[in-house]
Amino acid sequence: MTIGREKPHPVSTTENPFPVGFRWGAATAAYQIEGAVDADGRGPSIWDTFSHTRGAIADGSTGDIACDHYNRFRDDVRLMAELGLTAYRFSIAWPRVQPTGRGAPNPAGLDFYRRLVDELLGHGIEPWPTLYHWDLPQPLEHDGGWPERDTAQRFADYAAHVHHALGDRVDRWTTLNEPWCSAFLGYGSGEHAPGRRDPIAAVRSAHHLMLAHGLACQAIREANPSAEVGTTVNLYAVSPATTSPADADAARRIDGLANRIFLDPLLRGRYPADVLDDISVATGLDHIHPDDLVTIAAPLAHLGVNYYSRYVVARSHHDGPLPLSHGAWPGADDIQFAEPHGPTTDMGWAIDPAGLTETLVRLHRDYPAVPLYVTENGAAFDDIVGPDGRVDDPQRARYIEQHLGACLDAISHGAPVRGYFVWSLLDNFEWAHGYSQRFGLVHVDYTTQRRTPKTSAHWYADVIRRHRLSP
Ligand code: IFM
């Protein structure tokens, strides 16, 4: 398979600074950093169950302790302040708030997030909570999980409890993180919790996650009509491997299953007809009720974009590697994902900042206007603590610099990009990869819990202070 699209992407040296009010952030997620899985009445989530399942996590690890952020959050907020972050994106663990996923909230669980938010505000850092970053309470999975419609209503109830507790100090809410991963890796390929391999369940989950988002928007806005509520999706640039019509069709199908299956309901109030055609043969569509799309398309205060890479795809000739995440793409088993030709991160993901510009400009061009935030972008590299105790990671600084340049390019094309969050603040539990992949600006020694800001952290702090990239 030939791919002729490896072009160097020059960092934008524009003199234009980032817009006034641009948010400079970093992101984390509850299960990846908090640890303290039994503290203060927290219940089990699907990730507790999954990570304790033999063979599920590459290095056999769990999030039981992770970065012990639950006990060290004040130190971590101090680190954020030293970096000069103006916003911090974190997630709230549903099983801390409702240990069984339903019923009265657990005051001790909510108190943790009150303390965290107060600490952030005390340091002048804007809290950006995400309500769901994959840790479904295990009892709800026993009741059927995301393939069941009722889970969406349970999520809306949970959202209302959290908003009731924190709405006096949090202005901006994000409902979901990366519903594609929850649906297609959780229920399709089984690489993520709860580890099911059932394409029909995956497609139903995708819709119920969207519905959960819409119902949560309603619940929060009923309490506060001016609350700013948005959501976050993981988007990919998608290109055909060759100019053949078959590869163009493969790119259309993967773009549909990765991107448009979420963007169109959220922003246009309908599913793309071609995507429905592609998936309906395998699943039937009786789980989509007539009014759901109105609920899902509630106006968004912002759209969070998590961007990491580009997919280059081809119709399978059955002579190449298996598709990436085999099973995660219902009805697309005949599509191959090409091995990247250019530089990659340690995750094996192609480094393609032009794909971020393409993604942001496409949103601006093809969809109704909505403020855009890059809510995750970052790279895993094998960072090593040097004899002097420093962690030198120029490749991560370069990666972030290139992607910030891509944001500037998108802004120069009119895309309303209002902020950027590095994934991640800390090295952490990288899901099925365990602790083998380090994404942090800050190195974590998991034996001692010592935090060491890497050179990329110092570099990022300098960009934030100057509010621009170096020429
Ligand atoms: O670690 C994850 C995060 O939880 C969701 N977005 C992608 C990151 C890197 O894989």
Side-chain angles (χ1 to χ4, degrees):
M1 187 182 299
T2 49
I3 310 162
R5 57 155 318 281
E6 204 30 68
K7 285 191 232 101
H9 181 81
V11 170
S12 173
T13 55
T14 175
E15 275 308 297
N16 290 328
F18 291 88
V20 174
F22 191 84
R23 303 298 202 287
W24 295 102
T28 63
Y31 189 72
Q32 294 181 271
I33 64 165
E34 285 180 359
V37 290
D38 294 322
D40 298 329
R42 178 187 180 278
S45 81
I46 54 175
W47 270 97
D48 295 289
T49 308
F50 188 69
S51 66
H52 282 267
T53 304
R54 188 185 295 273
I57 308 298
D59 60 5
S61 63
T62 72
D64 287 2
I65 298 172
C67 306
D68 195 29
H69 172 77
Y70 193 80
N71 296 306
R72 296 167 192 264
F73 73 92
R74 289 187 206 284
D75 293 341
D76 291 338
V77 172
R78 196 172 328 116
L79 274 173
M80 296 174 212
E82 283 165 13
L83 289 179
L85 299 189
T86 62
Y88 171 53
R89 176 172 178 255
F90 59 99
S91 80
I92 293 176
W94 187 348
R96 286 198 195 283
V97 174
Q98 286 179 303
T100 63
R102 52 179 87 232
N106 168 28
L110 286 168
D111 275 348
F112 169 67
Y113 295 106
R114 277 199 196 94
R115 292 196 296 276
L116 173 60
V117 166
D118 287 348
E119 195 71 14
L120 291 166
L121 293 172
H123 284 82
I125 300 169
E126 186 182 4
W128 272 62
T130 297
L131 289 164
Y132 186 71
H133 198 126
W134 308 353
D135 40 5
L136 184 73
Q138 182 63 44
L140 294 186
E141 174 60 19
H142 281 310
D143 292 345
W146 285 111
E148 285 302 316
R149 190 176 177 85
D150 184 57
T151 305
Q153 190 56 56
R154 301 280 67 74
F155 179 72
D157 291 353
Y158 152 71
H161 287 308
V162 178
H163 178 266
H164 182 71
L166 301 180
D168 59 345
R169 52 200 98 184
V170 168
D171 295 327
R172 190 171 286 277
W173 298 88
T174 294
T175 54
L176 307 176
N177 179 71
E178 302 185 356
W180 185 87
C181 296
S182 300
F184 294 107
L185 297 181
Y187 293 89
S189 70
E191 286 165 66
H192 279 188
R196 287 208 238 163
R197 297 180 185 197
D198 174 352
I200 296 178
V203 168
R204 291 173 64 95
S205 296
H207 179 70
H208 293 147
L209 282 150
M210 287 289 87
L211 184 61
H213 155 78
L215 292 172
C217 286
Q218 271 176 15
I220 292 173
R221 287 180 179 143
E222 262 164 36
N224 175 8
S226 57
E228 311 218 54
V229 194
T231 200
T232 281
V233 287
N234 50 317
L235 302 180
Y236 291 84
V238 184
S239 306
T242 72
T243 54
S244 75
D247 288 356
D249 192 58
R252 175 196 63 73
R253 285 160 62 197
I254 294 303
D255 176 49
L257 283 170
N259 301 324
R260 291 181 290 117
I261 194 172
F262 299 108
L263 292 176
D264 285 31
L266 286 169
L267 296 170
R268 292 188 175 141
R270 58 176 189 264
Y271 279 105
D274 63 314
V275 174
L276 291 186
D277 279 353
D278 291 343
I279 61 177
S280 65
V281 182
T283 66
L285 299 169
D286 58 349
H287 60 290
I288 303 175
H289 294 192
D291 291 342
D292 289 355
L293 273 299
V294 177
T295 306
I296 292 168
L300 288 178
H302 68 272
L303 181 70
V305 175
N306 292 358
Y307 174 84
Y308 289 92
S309 196
R310 177 189 299 274
Y311 290 139
V312 178
V313 297
R315 277 291 291 283
S316 172
H317 309 296
H318 302 290
D319 57 358
L322 277 177
L324 197 75
S325 304
H326 189 68
W329 305 95
D333 285 351
D334 58 338
I335 293 177
Q336 276 185 329
F337 290 73
E339 297 289 345
H341 279 190
T344 62
T345 68
D346 277 13
M347 294 290 280
W349 297 344
I351 300 176
D352 194 328
L356 176 56
T357 308
E358 196 176 304
T359 300
L360 295 168
V361 170
R362 175 210 198 166
L363 284 166
H364 170 57
R365 189 192 56 213
D366 293 353
Y367 288 92
V370 58
L372 303 174
Y373 291 84
V374 176
T375 39
E376 283 185 27
N377 175 245
F381 291 112
D382 188 15
D383 305 311
I384 292 165
V385 184
D388 56 359
R390 286 161 40 104
V391 182
D392 198 22
D393 61 340
Q395 66 283 48
R396 181 172 291 101
R398 177 74 184 146
Y399 179 100
I400 297 169
E401 183 181 37
Q402 288 176 315
H403 287 78
L404 282 170
C407 291
L408 282 178
D409 289 345
I411 290 167
S412 74
H413 285 88
V417 184
R418 303 276 162 79
Y420 175 91
F421 294 72
V422 175
W423 183 267
S424 177
L425 175 72
L426 303 170
D427 291 339
N428 59 48
F429 178 77
E430 176 53 26
W431 307 113
H433 298 273
Y435 297 98
S436 66
Q437 300 289 325
R438 292 182 178 272
F439 275 90
L441 290 168
V442 176
H443 181 274
V444 177
D445 177 329
Y446 296 112
T447 313
T448 61
Q449 292 295 345
R450 183 184 165 87
R451 273 68 162 148
T452 306
K454 304 175 190 176
T455 49
S456 61
H458 299 297
W459 172 86
Y460 190 49
D462 197 45
V463 171
I464 296 173
R465 194 177 44 75
R466 289 185 294 105
H467 203 72
R468 65 178 64 226
L469 294 173
S470 304

